[in-house]
Amino acid sequence: MGGPPPPPPHPPGLGGPPPPPPLPGIGGPPPPPPPPGVNTAPIMPSVVPTYQMAAPISIIVVPTPTPSKKMKIYNWTKIQDRTLRTSAGNVWEKVSALSDRIHPDFHAVEEMFSQKTVSHANDMSDSAPMKKKSEVISLLDSKRSMNINIFLKQFKRANSEIASLISAGDTQQLGQEKLVLLQKIMPQPDEVEAISRFEGDETKLGNAEQFFKELIKIGDYKLRVNIMILNKDFVSTAAEMRATLNDYKSAIETTISSISLEQFLRLVLRIGNFMNKGRYAGNAAGFRLCSLSKLTDTKSNRSRVTLLHYIVEEVYKQDEAMLTFVEKLQPLLLSISRKSLDNLESELNVTKGNVSTISKAIKQSKEELIKEKYKDFIADVTNQLKEIYHQLDEVKNQSKKLAKFFCEDEKTFSVDEFLLELLAFLEKCEQAHTDNVRRKELEEKNAKRKREREEASKKKTAKKQSKRESEGEVDLVEMLLGEIKNGKTLRRTRRTERAN
């Protein structure tokens, strides 16, 4: 038997035969387009917005029309795209998703804030137009730009010359103060990016922007500035630290070795034991040095005279050399009175940290010239730091010796507090001597005035007596003469009778 008969031919005018049915399990081809005349909605492709998108965060730049006139510049600080992309959930992401509640009148904005056109003279047809003021392009914040320009005026040099001084590491020309100020106005990453991407006319950039453009051309410019500051600052800092540690060493050694101080302490001990005899504080073999300040708290029966006044007065009367420790120790203690060993150590640790940071930065720098130029400098600074730390250890050991020498508690002993208390006592000794001298002068003046008053009183009394006697004799003679004139017979005295 043969196969089934073939299908009948398709009627003419109706196109080709219909497609065969799809095989089982396989999807069929797309449906054919609708026949002409059938009203079906066209399938529109998705509309791609023309806004610029900042991946991966969806921030749309809000579209605005283009002005027909040249507008004035609004000097804002633009946030870089890189910052926006890495700050998920920032305010500008939310702003871009908002709808406009206010629609600005851009025509009015254009009229109000467009740049004025220069008008030509009307009375002269052949007159040349006025020169237009050159436009300055600012990429930095106005306040920031002003501060940078104030700094640059100190140099009185071109920006390229200042950059050359920085590149050469000329600390002599730049100076310590200017370097510190320069470190404070170093360009920020967004400013570096804005200036680096600028492709316009560089001659129209502001002075601050042009300086930054010169600065960022220098390889590792921040590292160079930090090295110069360390170079200038370390010299003076190291010298001051050495001098301070030497002063501590001298003050401690002089205090421990002072024979006159020991003699003075013995005198105070004797007088104190005498005053405290039979009491709990009596019969002492010694006392803490801070007790010396209490000598002024013990008042005498005489006005404004303390136990210290009395002791100092006795010393000056009997053995003035016992107070030589005052004039020897006072200048040394004054030199360190406003300093602190703990602060010095903290400052030394900070300097060591800065040196370590800069040393690592130099090793990681791609500028071989920096590595070669400052290799010896870093090595020298490191060695000096080791020497200063060695000096500090010596002073610490001397401080322990000082505490042990004066029987102080080594665990709670503070060399700064001890030396300050000693200095305060030395000043009280000087003041007590000054008070004694003034009091003695005042007493002598008062005694002299008293003697003068007494002598004057005696003279006055004698003068009055003499006057009375002379006046008495005159009155007697006159009385006798008057009686004789009146015919009165005078009576004989015993002296007259004896004469007869």
Side-chain angles (χ1 to χ4, degrees):
M1 292 180 63
H10 196 71
L14 294 179
L23 296 176
I26 302 177
V38 179
N39 185 15
T40 59
I43 301 176
M44 300 296 293
S46 58
V47 179
V48 179
T50 58
Y51 308 141
Q52 298 178 359
M53 305 294 288
I57 300 175
S58 178
I59 298 181
I60 302 173
V61 178
V62 181
T64 56
T66 303
S68 60
K69 299 179 181 179
K70 194 165 186 178
M71 304 296 293
K72 295 180 179 178
I73 297 174
Y74 170 37
N75 285 321
W76 59 16
T77 301
K78 178 182 175 182
I79 301 177
Q80 301 301 316
D81 293 341
R82 180 177 60 185
T83 304
L84 293 173
R85 287 196 300 268
T86 56
S87 303
N90 65 69
V91 65
W92 301 110
E93 183 180 358
K94 296 179 180 180
V95 167
S96 67
L98 296 175
S99 58
D100 293 324
R101 296 180 61 180
I102 296 178
H103 300 279
D105 184 351
F106 289 107
H107 178 72
V109 173
E110 182 175 334
E111 290 298 322
M112 293 176 66
F113 299 102
S114 62
Q115 294 186 8
K116 294 182 179 180
T117 57
V118 180
S119 58
H120 301 284
N122 295 327
D123 55 343
M124 297 179 63
S125 58
D126 56 345
S127 60
M130 294 176 63
K131 288 187 177 181
K132 193 174 182 179
K133 187 178 180 181
S134 60
E135 179 185 355
V136 176
I137 300 175
S138 299
L139 303 177
L140 305 176
D141 176 76
S142 59
K143 186 175 181 180
R144 172 101 164 122
S145 179
M146 180 184 69
N147 291 335
I148 295 168
N149 285 321
I150 291 173
F151 165 76
L152 293 174
K153 285 181 180 179
Q154 300 179 55
F155 288 95
K156 298 180 180 180
R157 297 172 181 264
N159 292 331
S160 57
E161 293 181 14
I162 301 173
S164 298
L165 294 175
I166 296 170
S167 179
D170 193 339
T171 56
Q172 192 68 27
Q173 293 289 330
L174 293 169
Q176 178 70 3
E177 293 183 4
K178 293 176 184 177
L179 284 170
V180 172
L181 291 174
L182 176 60
Q183 188 183 46
K184 292 180 180 179
I185 64 164
M186 285 280 105
Q188 301 301 315
D190 57 332
E191 295 171 340
V192 173
E193 185 177 358
I195 292 172
S196 300
R197 289 187 175 185
F198 180 74
E199 297 179 353
D201 188 355
E202 294 184 4
T203 60
K204 292 185 178 181
L205 285 174
N207 189 49
E209 286 81 357
Q210 290 184 8
F211 171 68
F212 275 1
K213 197 162 187 68
E214 292 288 340
L215 189 62
I216 61 180
K217 291 178 183 177
I218 305 171
D220 282 335
Y221 58 90
K222 287 186 179 180
L223 177 59
R224 293 174 187 267
V225 172
N226 291 337
I227 293 173
M228 285 189 286
I229 291 175
L230 176 64
N231 188 7
K232 289 290 285 186
D233 191 47
F234 182 78
V235 174
S236 58
T237 300
E240 184 178 352
M241 286 181 176
R242 288 194 187 95
T244 300
L245 290 172
N246 285 333
D247 288 341
Y248 270 99
K249 184 179 179 181
S250 299
I252 294 172
E253 289 178 348
T254 305
T255 302
I256 293 175
S257 62
S258 176
I259 303 299
S260 63
L261 176 60
E262 295 173 6
Q263 293 171 341
F264 186 85
L265 294 178
R266 178 178 174 83
L267 174 62
V268 174
L269 181 63
R270 292 183 65 193
I271 296 175
N273 272 331
F274 170 77
M275 295 177 64
N276 296 330
K277 192 76 171 180
R279 302 176 185 176
Y280 75 96
N283 198 29
F287 56 87
R288 292 187 61 192
L289 209 69
C290 61
S291 302
L292 291 174
S293 61
K294 297 180 181 179
L295 290 173
T296 55
D297 297 336
T298 307
K299 311 294 183 181
S300 74
N301 297 326
R302 296 169 60 188
S303 176
R304 297 180 182 179
V305 176
T306 66
L307 182 56
L308 181 61
H309 286 95
Y310 168 76
I311 293 175
V312 170
E313 186 176 18
E314 289 301 309
V315 170
Y316 270 93
K317 284 180 181 178
Q318 302 180 38
D319 186 5
E320 189 175 340
M322 188 182 289
L323 287 172
T324 53
F325 70 92
V326 175
E327 60 185 55
K328 286 185 177 180
L329 276 174
Q330 196 169 23
L332 295 173
L333 297 179
L334 277 173
S335 65
I336 58 176
S337 61
R338 296 184 179 180
K339 298 173 184 177
S340 165
L341 202 62
D342 292 336
N343 291 344
L344 186 146
E345 186 173 6
S346 298
E347 186 179 357
L348 186 59
N349 291 336
V350 170
T351 304
K352 181 183 177 182
N354 291 339
V355 172
S356 178
T357 301
I358 292 176
S359 178
K360 290 178 182 178
I362 290 175
K363 291 178 181 178
Q364 296 172 359
S365 176
K366 297 179 181 179
E367 298 286 330
E368 293 296 329
L369 182 61
I370 292 180
K371 294 181 180 180
E372 187 65 27
K373 182 174 183 178
Y374 295 107
K375 178 178 64 176
D376 295 338
F377 166 70
I378 293 297
D380 179 59
V381 168
T382 304
N383 290 332
Q384 290 190 56
L385 284 174
K386 290 180 180 178
E387 294 175 359
I388 296 173
Y389 271 109
H390 179 68
Q391 272 187 280
L392 178 62
D393 290 337
E394 287 183 345
V395 172
K396 286 182 177 180
N397 291 332
Q398 284 184 315
S399 299
K400 294 178 181 178
K401 185 178 178 182
L402 181 68
K404 188 175 181 180
F405 183 75
F406 285 98
C407 302
E408 299 285 342
D409 186 357
E410 295 183 28
K411 295 180 180 179
T412 60
F413 180 74
S414 169
V415 64
D416 289 311
E417 291 180 5
F418 181 90
L419 296 178
L420 281 175
E421 286 179 351
L422 182 55
L423 174 62
F425 173 70
L426 300 182
E427 292 173 344
K428 287 181 178 180
C429 283
E430 280 197 334
Q431 185 61 45
H433 175 60
T434 303
D435 294 342
N436 288 339
V437 171
R438 289 177 179 172
R439 186 175 60 256
K440 187 176 180 181
E441 291 175 352
L442 183 60
E443 289 174 352
E444 289 177 353
K445 287 181 180 178
N446 291 337
K448 184 179 179 181
R449 289 174 184 171
K450 185 178 180 180
R451 288 195 303 270
E452 290 175 351
R453 285 197 300 268
E454 289 176 351
E455 291 176 1
S457 178
K458 288 179 181 179
K459 289 180 179 179
K460 188 175 181 180
T461 303
K463 188 176 181 180
K464 286 182 178 179
Q465 185 65 28
S466 175
K467 185 177 181 180
R468 287 196 196 101
E469 291 177 355
S470 62
E471 288 177 353
E473 292 177 357
V474 172
D475 293 341
L476 180 59
V477 171
E478 288 180 354
M479 182 182 67
L480 293 173
L481 291 173
E483 289 180 352
I484 292 171
K485 287 180 180 180
N486 293 329
K488 188 175 181 180
T489 304
L490 297 178
R491 188 176 56 182
R492 291 185 178 183
T493 63
R494 292 179 181 179
R495 185 178 297 175
T496 308
E497 292 175 353
R498 287 177 185 177
N500 295 330

